Amino acid sequence: LDFAPMIDTQWQNIARAFEISRQPKEVAPFKNIVRFKGFGELLGLGVMVARAQWACLGATLILLSHVLFWVGGGGSWRIDAKGVNIPVSPALVKVICTADIVVGTAAAIGYLSPTKRMRSVGAIAYSLLIAILAIEKVKKRLVTVRKKEKQSLNATNETLVLLDELSDNGCEEKPAPTNSSNKTISSPWNYNWREQWYPLAFSKVTSKKIPHRLELFGEHLVLWHNGNDWAALADVCPHRLAPLSEGRIDESGQIECPYHGWTFTEEGTCTKIPQTTSQKGLQGCGARAYRIVERQGIIFVWGKVGATTEEADTSLVPTCPALEDDRFVWIDFSRDLPYSADILMENVLDSSHVCFTHHQTISKRENAMPLPLRLTTPVTPLGFHGEMAGDVPVGKTGEENIKEKRVTQRTTDFVAPTYMNHIIRSADVGSMDFDAGFETWTVAYATPTGPGRSRLLARFPFRFPPPTRRFLRFNIPSLVFKYLPDWVNHLGQLKVTDDDNIFLPIQERQVHDMGGWKKYKMPTDADAFVKGYRRWYDKAGQPPHSPFATDNYRSSEQTKEQLLDRKSQHTDHCVSCSGALKNAVRIQSIMRGTLLSGIAFAPAIIFQRAWKPLFSLLLVTMAAFQIKRAANFVEVSLTTGMANYPPPRNRPAGKGRRRELRTVEQGRRG
């Protein structure tokens, strides 16, 4: 099976890796090496199948193609899914080549020797060597299987395990428990959800002054800034299992438990127990630590608690290539959502819902049209790549592009398990230079915080073409995006996510109740990316949520007020929006005092017939009223989405309202 010819799959995965790494010119040499290896394997297998007496000849051809593959530099072209070159070490290449040469020599003797006796010796030697290699592989596989079985042992209760680990007789140090939440869920790929990086928050809008209680796979962790870097521990003090997130960050940047003052470093080492003066009492009383890394302004956590630095491979962090280009400006937004990460990822991969779900928010119904989407790579554990086949004009922008002789290119990437992006690029027909035109990305991370809930981290990078008029020295759109306050941008994004929040939790329940996504009816190409993601999800298996996590999917159905609770879902964990909310409340109090003062002074001014001061007072009062009204709008908008319910897509046309199209046909007739 190791020699099975899977050349097409090998080549597609490698081409995909190079596409991500943007090294298209370097692909061709490797393509020829892989083709040569594949040709040798196919030829050798064909010879072996054609005639039993030619088995040793076929094996010789296969092993010869392998040796030439490694000698030709195959080991130096090993590329991972992020486009990072991870070559096989020369020492390992030498070992592999030596093994192939030894086995190939025995096979060659088994076919080419002039005497029957020597051919028999060669065939027996070849068979023994193959048997030895097979036994070694079986041993390694058994070790791997036993390791996974050991990891898959179900713990009765995580809390009981901790209580047992930290027994009364002096906090005796024991190995970290392995519970069911740390296991690899069985799947066709044996996909390990734990050995991945997951985004927790944007560092720019996350307060460094307080600890934060966050969630991953239904397990709580505490995130804080120690003065130099971000750090995270399991949100449970080993003393009496109190939540560390309710404590404080002490003067040295360590986390202090709110219950009895135990203090811990970012590695989980207990540095202070106020109830003892003995250093021996600190031994074995550490907390469980998570690996944290910050990339492109996002705080990522490794999914496995207690992992070493070597295990948490930082080359696997899913980043956005657009943010490495200085020409881009972008908007960041995050929100806790009342539906699972798979429903979230399915939703953001679906382009065709935007015209209807977000009608009059960011799109219109009349923009709907057939979308010829297709996958351009196979669905693998690493994800997939897709595109829109052809330049389809979407909405007014698409029509204007056609009139102005511009072409548009649309592509989509899914990088398992949490990252996706849509890219829209335009270029003049004459130049076809997409790097000089307008480019926009929609980037979404879907973090599986728990059953029936997830956290969305969205980024919207834009690259605007340089100004065409000579007197415009600055790129105005870029400046607006760059310097507009975060909370102003977030108001619009809150409205967009409200459109989805109100019905996707109900959809999730119905998907589970009816037996899963295979009940979907998806006859069009517009659902190509949804189908691809669902195939990936089926093979990867479900996330390893803690068996003790609160299940939002099966708990009581949430009310509209809870689904549209912007404060708890976003504002509370966003420094910019929480600051704007406090200022809005403060401004309303000041303006209320100004209005009351104006009302109090008005009778005296009228009695004295001082018309100019009265006019000035009237202007001040009117301004104070409008400022109070604007501050109230900000407060309400950052607190709840009920003020905008029902969403624009559901509002009927009527007197005093702007006419809204209800159907695609109405839009076409209009």
Side-chain angles (χ1 to χ4, degrees):
L1 290 177
D2 285 343
F3 299 152
M6 300 174 66
I7 304 309
D8 185 55
T9 302
Q10 288 178 19
W11 165 238
Q12 287 179 344
N13 289 342
I14 290 154
R16 168 74 183 119
F18 272 91
E19 182 179 343
I20 292 174
S21 65
R22 300 193 174 188
Q23 302 176 54
K25 295 180 181 178
E26 300 182 28
V27 180
F30 187 62
K31 186 174 183 178
N32 294 330
I33 293 173
V34 173
R35 281 177 171 171
F36 179 81
K37 175 174 172 282
F39 176 76
E41 290 177 339
L42 288 170
L43 180 63
L45 286 171
V47 170
M48 294 175 79
V49 171
R51 191 172 180 182
Q53 289 87 341
W54 294 350
C56 284
L57 174 61
T60 303
L61 293 174
I62 290 173
L63 290 162
L64 179 62
S65 70
H66 284 194
V67 171
L68 293 176
F69 171 80
W70 292 109
V71 172
S76 64
W77 289 88
R78 186 164 169 252
I79 305 292
D80 72 359
K82 305 298 182 300
V84 178
N85 184 245
I86 307 178
V88 179
S89 66
L92 183 57
V93 170
K94 191 177 292 184
V95 170
I96 294 172
C97 283
T98 302
D100 284 344
I101 290 170
V102 170
V103 178
T105 302
I109 293 172
Y111 180 77
L112 299 174
S113 293
T115 64
K116 185 175 181 181
R117 184 174 180 180
M118 286 298 295
R119 288 198 297 272
S120 299
V121 170
I124 292 170
Y126 165 71
S127 301
L128 288 174
L129 289 169
I130 288 293
I132 291 169
L133 291 173
I135 291 169
E136 288 299 317
K137 288 210 167 200
V138 170
K139 282 182 179 179
K140 289 182 179 179
R141 184 61 59 86
L142 287 175
V143 169
T144 304
V145 170
R146 285 171 184 168
K147 186 176 180 181
K148 288 180 179 178
E149 287 177 350
K150 190 177 289 186
Q151 290 176 344
S152 301
L153 292 175
N154 291 326
T156 57
N157 189 305
E158 186 178 11
T159 303
L160 291 177
V161 170
L162 282 170
L163 284 170
D164 180 63
E165 182 184 85
L166 305 168
S167 55
D168 295 339
N169 54 8
C171 298
E172 181 183 354
E173 186 173 7
K174 295 183 181 180
T178 302
N179 56 43
S180 59
S181 63
N182 256 345
K183 69 182 181 180
T184 301
I185 299 297
S186 177
S187 69
W189 284 333
N190 286 324
Y191 190 79
N192 195 331
W193 287 82
R194 289 284 177 181
E195 295 181 355
Q196 310 291 337
W197 290 98
Y198 295 92
L200 291 177
F202 291 109
S203 59
K204 180 182 176 181
V205 295
T206 303
S207 175
K208 297 180 180 179
K209 298 178 181 179
I210 59 173
H212 304 272
R213 180 175 169 87
L214 301 176
E215 195 177 17
L216 180 68
F217 299 131
E219 301 165 352
H220 287 98
L221 55 102
V222 56
L223 175 75
W224 83 98
H225 197 272
N226 62 15
N228 298 313
D229 300 299
W230 293 96
L233 302 176
D235 193 20
V236 54
C237 178
H239 178 209
R240 298 268 291 279
L241 310 185
L244 294 171
S245 56
E246 290 300 321
R248 73 181 185 103
I249 305 171
D250 71 6
E251 294 73 16
S252 60
Q254 299 179 10
I255 190 78
E256 182 182 281
C257 178
Y259 206 2
H260 298 92
W262 287 31
T263 306
F264 304 91
T265 67
E266 64 274 9
E267 295 293 335
T269 305
C270 182
T271 59
K272 184 173 71 173
I273 298 179
Q275 293 77 26
T276 182
T277 57
S278 172
Q279 290 297 316
K280 291 183 178 179
L282 304 178
Q283 297 177 4
C285 293
R288 297 180 298 158
Y290 284 90
R291 294 294 164 190
I292 295 288
V293 67
E294 183 177 347
R295 291 288 187 275
Q296 295 184 334
I298 296 180
I299 305 163
F300 289 89
V301 63
W302 185 251
K304 183 180 178 183
V305 65
T308 63
T309 305
E310 291 73 21
E311 288 178 305
D313 185 358
T314 55
S315 69
L316 300 177
V317 176
T319 56
C320 174
L323 270 64
E324 303 298 330
D325 189 335
D326 293 336
R327 295 175 296 171
F328 279 86
V329 292
W330 62 88
I331 300 169
D332 289 339
F333 173 75
S334 62
R335 184 169 184 174
D336 293 318
L337 301 176
Y339 44 90
S340 296
D342 61 304
I343 296 293
L344 169 57
M345 184 57 70
E346 176 186 291
N347 180 51
V348 293
L349 282 168
D350 174 22
S351 302
S352 60
H353 85 283
V354 175
C355 305
F356 295 94
T357 302
H358 305 298
H359 171 68
Q360 295 291 4
T361 305
I362 55 174
S363 187
K364 293 182 179 180
R365 292 192 186 99
E366 57 264 37
N367 290 344
M369 60 180 61
L371 298 179
L373 306 179
R374 65 185 180 188
L375 299 185
T376 55
T377 65
V379 177
T380 72
L382 302 175
F384 58 79
H385 176 75
E387 66 179 13
M388 185 178 289
D391 184 8
V392 178
V394 178
K396 286 186 177 181
T397 304
E399 294 171 2
E400 290 172 0
N401 283 344
I402 291 176
K403 289 179 182 178
E404 297 178 14
K405 295 183 179 181
R406 289 197 300 264
V407 293
T408 304
Q409 182 186 79
R410 295 176 175 86
T411 58
T412 295
D413 294 282
F414 166 62
V415 180
T418 63
Y419 173 93
M420 65 74 56
N421 65 246
H422 297 300
I423 307 174
I424 302 177
R425 311 170 74 199
S426 63
D428 294 330
V429 173
S431 67
M432 292 299 287
D433 185 3
F434 287 100
D435 286 331
F438 174 75
E439 183 171 338
T440 176
W441 292 52
T442 299
V443 178
Y445 294 89
T447 300
T449 52
R453 56 193 177 276
S454 59
R455 172 166 282 195
L456 165 69
L457 282 83
R459 316 196 92 151
F460 304 97
F462 297 87
R463 188 194 65 206
F464 298 97
T468 55
R469 298 182 181 180
R470 293 181 180 179
F471 63 87
L472 287 176
R473 297 180 58 189
F474 303 103
N475 196 318
I476 303 300
S478 294
L479 292 176
V480 171
F481 274 91
K482 190 172 183 178
Y483 294 107
L484 199 66
D486 289 325
W487 66 269
V488 177
N489 289 322
H490 293 176
L491 288 177
Q493 297 304 322
L494 285 167
K495 193 173 181 180
V496 173
T497 47
D498 279 349
D499 291 343
D500 300 302
N501 271 20
I502 204 67
F503 68 84
L504 284 183
I506 300 173
Q507 180 209 356
E508 180 175 14
R509 285 172 175 265
Q510 294 179 166
V511 169
H512 284 270
D513 291 345
M514 296 182 68
W517 75 274
K518 292 185 179 178
K519 295 292 183 180
Y520 292 174
K521 305 295 183 184
M522 297 189 288
T524 70
D525 291 337
D527 292 313
F529 300 155
V530 174
K531 294 176 186 176
Y533 174 70
R534 281 302 176 184
R535 290 202 299 272
W536 176 89
Y537 191 80
D538 282 352
K539 292 183 178 181
Q542 295 187 10
H545 291 305
S546 168
F548 316 113
T550 302
D551 191 343
N552 283 5
Y553 156 62
R554 284 301 175 193
S555 60
S556 60
E557 189 170 336
Q558 292 180 303
T559 63
K560 288 183 174 65
E561 289 77 9
Q562 291 173 317
L563 295 174
L564 302 179
D565 182 3
R566 297 178 178 181
K567 187 175 184 298
S568 64
Q569 294 173 358
H570 169 76
T571 303
D572 285 346
H573 69 254
C574 175
V575 170
S576 179
C577 290
S578 58
L581 179 60
K582 290 177 182 177
N583 289 334
V585 173
R586 189 178 297 117
I587 289 171
Q588 288 182 78
S589 299
I590 295 171
M591 293 303 107
R592 192 179 298 113
T594 303
L595 289 171
L596 291 174
S597 300
I599 293 171
F601 283 111
I605 296 174
I606 293 172
F607 181 75
Q608 294 178 4
R609 297 189 178 184
W611 305 120
K612 287 185 178 180
L614 181 62
F615 181 71
S616 299
L617 180 63
L618 180 62
L619 289 178
V620 171
T621 304
M622 290 175 63
F625 176 76
Q626 292 299 329
I627 293 172
K628 180 180 180 299
R629 187 178 177 185
N632 178 257
F633 169 79
V634 173
E635 180 190 6
V636 172
S637 298
L638 292 174
T639 304
T640 178
M642 287 302 295
N644 296 317
Y645 185 83
R649 63 173 180 266
N650 294 354
R651 295 174 191 166
K655 187 176 180 181
R657 291 181 180 271
R658 180 174 57 180
R659 180 178 179 274
E660 294 181 0
L661 301 171
R662 289 187 173 185
T663 65
V664 176
E665 288 72 21
Q666 287 177 339
R668 289 171 179 164
R669 289 198 297 271

